Amino acid sequence: MPSHADQQRKRPQQDRAKETKARILEVAAQLFGDRGIGNTSTNRIAAEAGMSIGTLYRYFTDREEIVKELTDSLFVQAEEQYARLLTKSVPDRPRRDTVAEIIRIGVEILVANGPLVRALVADLQFYGSGIPEFEPRLRMLIKLYLIQSLGPTHGLDIDTMAYIVLNAGFSTALRSVKMDEEGVDRDAVIDQTADMIGLWITSVAQADSPVQLSHNIAGTDASSVRRPVGH
């Protein structure tokens, strides 16, 4: 078992390692935003961070690994906040309000990292690395919300609904990074997007209700509403 003195010696080293790694990521994010990913070398990152290239390579093997770590960090932030929001009890909360908060969380994270996000999108890294890995995890949280919100369902394709809600909301969040520059009211866009998604979820839920289903049996076909995509 390590002695107390050994533990004391290791702790500063571990803290310094964390600080060095965080410094590399901070500088890289700033440079990627200013210069673009393709125009930023690991040598430039190391120089701006005030360290040797050898020190940088102790933490990251290449630039792509730095990009992946930064992208993953954005999605981990979103996942943690969505998990807290969507695992709460939601049946009594207006669907539109929850959808608006889902979008707003994404907007706040992306806007706070605006220069980096623009660089990732410009270099197609945003779509090529983080999303495929994290989308199933975020979609599962959205699916949990829909199950809590809608209750027992009869013919709804919850997986497809979760896909639509996640991607419609994410598209709005991603576009929000440049809305101020384009003179677009970000809050109005969030509110109206939430209104549309919330109304859509409500209409699908109503079509799936026992009363509506009894009408369907009597000859009113609402299958196109209950199966929103490709059914």
Side-chain angles (χ1 to χ4, degrees):
M1 182 175 179
S3 68
H4 179 69
D6 288 338
Q7 291 176 342
Q8 289 295 100
R9 280 194 295 270
K10 288 180 180 178
R11 188 173 298 116
Q13 293 174 351
Q14 292 170 351
D15 289 343
R16 281 198 298 273
K18 290 178 181 178
E19 290 170 2
T20 301
K21 185 175 182 180
R23 174 65 178 162
I24 293 169
L25 292 171
E26 178 186 1
V27 170
Q30 184 63 48
L31 289 173
F32 291 158
D34 293 343
R35 299 167 51 85
I37 294 172
N39 294 323
T40 303
S41 66
T42 50
N43 282 313
R44 180 63 181 263
I45 295 170
E48 292 288 335
M51 64 185 67
S52 69
I53 188 64
T55 298
L56 183 147
Y57 283 143
R58 288 173 54 194
Y59 297 90
F60 299 98
T61 58
D62 53 28
R63 182 180 62 195
E64 284 64 36
E65 189 174 353
I66 297 174
V67 171
K68 185 178 187 307
E69 178 107 2
L70 289 168
T71 307
D72 288 353
S73 175
L74 294 177
F75 282 96
V76 167
Q77 291 177 56
E79 185 179 36
E80 290 174 349
Q81 292 195 49
Y82 286 150
R84 285 194 292 270
L85 170 65
L86 299 177
T87 54
K88 297 176 184 177
S89 179
V90 298
D92 296 330
R93 187 178 189 187
R95 294 182 181 116
R96 178 251 175 236
D97 291 352
T98 300
V99 171
E101 193 163 353
I102 290 171
I103 298 172
R104 203 173 299 279
I105 286 171
V107 167
E108 289 174 355
I109 291 172
L110 296 181
V111 169
N113 297 274
L116 171 63
V117 171
R118 284 194 289 270
L120 291 169
V121 171
D123 285 69
L124 300 180
Q125 297 281 355
F126 209 61
Y127 295 101
S129 55
I131 290 177
E133 177 183 351
F134 279 90
E135 183 176 340
R137 291 156 61 175
L138 296 178
R139 191 165 65 240
M140 183 59 66
L141 293 171
I142 301 293
K143 182 177 179 180
L144 173 61
Y145 157 67
L146 290 170
I147 291 171
Q148 289 180 315
S149 175
L150 298 174
T153 61
H154 302 277
L156 297 183
D157 186 344
I158 298 294
D159 287 314
T160 297
M161 291 182 68
Y163 180 90
I164 292 170
V165 172
L166 175 61
N167 283 277
F170 181 81
S171 177
T172 298
L174 190 58
R175 287 284 297 162
S176 71
V177 174
K178 297 188 69 174
M179 284 180 186
D180 285 344
E181 299 174 11
E182 297 170 351
V184 178
D185 187 334
R186 183 184 294 126
D187 289 332
V189 172
I190 293 172
D191 288 339
Q192 292 183 38
T193 303
D195 287 343
M196 288 188 290
I197 296 175
L199 285 171
W200 173 68
I201 294 173
T202 298
S203 69
V204 171
Q206 289 173 344
D208 188 65
S209 68
V211 173
Q212 184 63 51
L213 289 176
S214 68
H215 286 308
N216 293 347
I217 294 172
T220 303
D221 184 7
S223 60
S224 62
V225 179
R226 294 190 294 110
R227 297 280 189 178
V229 176
H231 295 283

